[in-house]
Amino acid sequence: MSSRILSIDDDAGIRRSLGAYLEDCGHEVIEAADGRSGLEAFERGQPELVLCDLGLPDMSGLEVVAALHARSPDTPLIVISGMAAVGDAVQALKRGAWDYITKPIADFGVLDTAITHALERAGLIRQNREQQARLEAMNRQLAHTLRQLQEDEEAARTLQQRLLPPDGLGFGAYRFTRRLLPSAYLSGDFIDYFALDGQRIGFYLADVAGHGAASAFVAVILKTLVGRYLRAHVRQGDATILHPAQTLAQLNRDFCAEGLDKHATMLYGVIDQREDLLCWGNAGHFPYPLLHDGVGARFLAHPGRPIGLFENARYQEHCLHLPQRCRLLIASDGLLELLPPQPRAGRAEGLLPHLDDVDGSLENFMQRLGLEQQAERIDDIALLEIDRHG
Amino acid sequence: MSSRILSIDDDAGIRRSLGAYLEDCGHEVIEAADGRSGLEAFERGQPELVLCDLGLPDMSGLEVVAALHARSPDTPLIVISGMAAVGDAVQALKRGAWDYITKPIADFGVLDTAITHALERAGLIRQNREQQARLEAMNRQLAHTLRQLQEDEEAARTLQQRLLPPDGLGFGAYRFTRRLLPSAYLSGDFIDYFALDGQRIGFYLADVAGHGAASAFVAVILKTLVGRYLRAHVRQGDATILHPAQTLAQLNRDFCAEGLDKHATMLYGVIDQREDLLCWGNAGHFPYPLLHDGVGARFLAHPGRPIGLFENARYQEHCLHLPQRCRLLIASDGLLELLPPQPRAGRAEGLLPHLDDVDGSLENFMQRLGLEQQAERIDDIALLEIDRHG
């Protein structure tokens, strides 16, 4: 290991012998005869190690040590002191010297070892620092890129939230409550409900295969299409949106036309408030809607084909009259992950005991399933509750 | 600094005096009288530093040094050797000893300094390693989260690509070439073109304010709505999509109904192949479309209101007959960032010299603007070229 060493000593003889020895060891030597020129030589020469005699003519060796340490604490500094001045050597160590050697130097091997150890230690400190700087720079870069992407998805999430209907919206005796708990920033589950006219309410819950941004894109496509059918009804009297089976068939055709290689399950329903009549179609959605009719809870079990797989899929329409007091719960299949493992259909049965009260709240239902606590989710969870109070 | 030190020496007197000194210094001392028990004591006691005499009765001190170094290279190991055995000491250093001290130990201060330096160095090595491990763990965590988000956006990007029409699609004498260069994973610019019937082609370029996932969402909404108008034409004979001004007005109404607090500029056009008639509407899109009619290039400069700002915005329709040989270029305003800074309208003028050849290619146009080289972009860039060859 060849290094540039600054040797500060007022004794020309010692400087010469030290210098000769160090050069023999392969080091480059800068010499200074007093404190002030030593400090100057340090600034000019940027040595990697300093040997400093404590007995200097112009300033105290301890002052030189303190000045060098303040200037460059990571440059190893070895003081050389007379046998009688061990107290000074200890003072020097306290002020930042790394080691000390007593004069006269009988065994240059001791000096050599001290220099080697000091340079090794300085190397480790430098390595420490460089490594840390490198890793920190990498961290900063990663964190920066991550923040950009997070902000990007956060903005998209805000937009997705804007597409949702108000939570707790009431239509006459019916109140719609919704929860959307994405597994990532963006959700492939989606919920909507809207007045079709003064008498009827349309609603749906869609669950796009997968999750994250790509599935959220598809959810946006579904929402846009349904929104378009709604406006076609409101503005042009197109009746499609009033009929669940027709709506799902139309949606499936429109969606297949996009050629997206994605599919979704969906439950679309219409409630006629005057008749208290619920009609719905199920496009492969599971778990089935859960109805509590005041007496007990049961699934409205009707299978159907998902949206986006079969261009000419047909859908069935089911209708039932709703009692004065009832509660309809529709959930995406992410909810089933919270239930004890069983065959898929069997697992959904596990939801029934949690919907034992027609007056219970969605909040309470979620608490019983431990849904609030779940921080990390492997799938999106969407919940839509429709509540009729007599 | 108090440490657990293992002292291996067969001389009980030296062990005692060494032990007493080290305990006075505040260290905890484990003693062993030969190599084998020294190695055992090392395993059992997990010392932080080892002092090892080179002249042991049962195995050579050098073997002990090699064994300890192999077992735990980061534990400082100081050998103690007789004055006469400096050669052995050098051998020991080569096999992993950190330092050596000659016996008899006249000055225990030398031993103390050697121990202190060795422990400091071991501490630095440990600190190095811990710091590195900590930063690396942080890096891994960041990289993992980043990878998840990147995969998420990458999947959405793939989906967005699927929504684009094939590049280089031909309709009779007309060929459509497109480029979409997002500034992030996802683009708020979008391009589409499609046959309206055997005679007419519809096309548009939309530029949603902002960029990234949220703007891409909005682009998907626009694309879905236009797709719906197209199918309404194909299936139900709805003529909206045939008329640029009507299409933009309908799109604006439908888009405003979503209440997204976003807006977009868009140019929608229809080409009648039999008549070689181009009709278009401009919803705030800038730069204006550039037409090279075989003689020279000019802007088709007609302003209009962006989509999503004014619910009842009206749009104008402009028509012109296309010559046998012509070239129409539509670009999003991200392209203007590549031109020398000037007032916005003036800057667009800078595009004209690059469209000086009616037979030029989009590739060539991009090269002249240095568009291929641009790796990092502050805005999305979309380019649509419609080429008529006689």
Side-chain angles (χ1 to χ4, degrees), chain A residues 98-100 107 109 113-114 117 120-122 124-125 127-129 131-136 138-143 145-146 149-150 152-153 155-157 159-160 162-163 184-186 211-218 220-225 227-229 231 235-236 238 250 253-255 257-262 311, chain B residues 98-100 107 109 113-114 117 120-122 124-125 127-129 131-136 138-143 145-146 149-150 152-153 155-157 159-160 162-163 184-186 211-218 220-225 227-229 231 235-236 238 250 253-255 257-262 311:
Chain A
W98 291 33
D99 205 349
Y100 76 90
D107 177 4
T113 306
H117 284 170
E120 277 174 1
R121 190 180 162 208
L124 278 171
I125 290 174
Q127 195 184 325
N128 246 0
R129 196 156 299 165
Q131 192 175 60
Q132 178 167 5
R134 209 167 37 243
L135 283 168
E136 280 176 351
M138 207 188 293
N139 265 355
R140 265 195 306 278
Q141 182 53 47
L142 279 171
T145 314
L146 183 59
L149 273 182
Q150 282 172 333
D152 189 47
E153 297 234 334
R157 182 189 169 94
L159 191 104
Q160 190 173 45
R162 288 187 78 108
L163 289 170
Y185 278 87
L186 297 164
H211 59 266
S215 297
F217 263 39
V218 174
V220 163
I221 291 175
L222 292 174
K223 146 83 181 169
T224 305
L225 288 169
R228 178 71 203 120
Y229 308 155
R231 286 186 299 277
R235 292 187 187 139
Q236 293 130 38
D238 183 322
Q250 176 72 56
R253 273 196 307 275
D254 278 340
F255 187 78
E258 301 286 358
L260 283 178
D261 195 24
K262 275 268 189 188
E311 204 174 342
Chain B
W98 291 34
D99 205 350
Y100 76 91
D107 177 4
T113 306
H117 283 170
E120 278 175 0
R121 189 181 161 207
L124 278 170
I125 290 173
Q127 195 185 325
N128 247 359
R129 197 157 298 165
Q131 193 175 60
Q132 178 166 7
R134 210 168 36 244
L135 283 168
E136 280 176 351
M138 207 188 295
N139 264 354
R140 265 195 306 278
Q141 182 53 48
L142 278 171
T145 314
L146 182 59
L149 272 182
Q150 283 172 333
D152 189 48
E153 297 234 335
R157 182 189 169 95
L159 191 104
Q160 189 172 46
R162 288 187 78 108
L163 290 170
Y185 278 87
L186 298 164
H211 59 265
S215 297
F217 263 38
V218 174
V220 163
I221 291 175
L222 292 174
K223 146 84 181 169
T224 305
L225 288 170
R228 178 70 203 121
Y229 307 155
R231 286 186 300 277
R235 292 187 187 139
Q236 293 129 39
D238 182 322
Q250 176 72 57
R253 273 197 307 275
D254 278 340
F255 187 78
E258 301 286 358
L260 283 179
D261 195 24
K262 275 268 188 187
E311 204 173 342

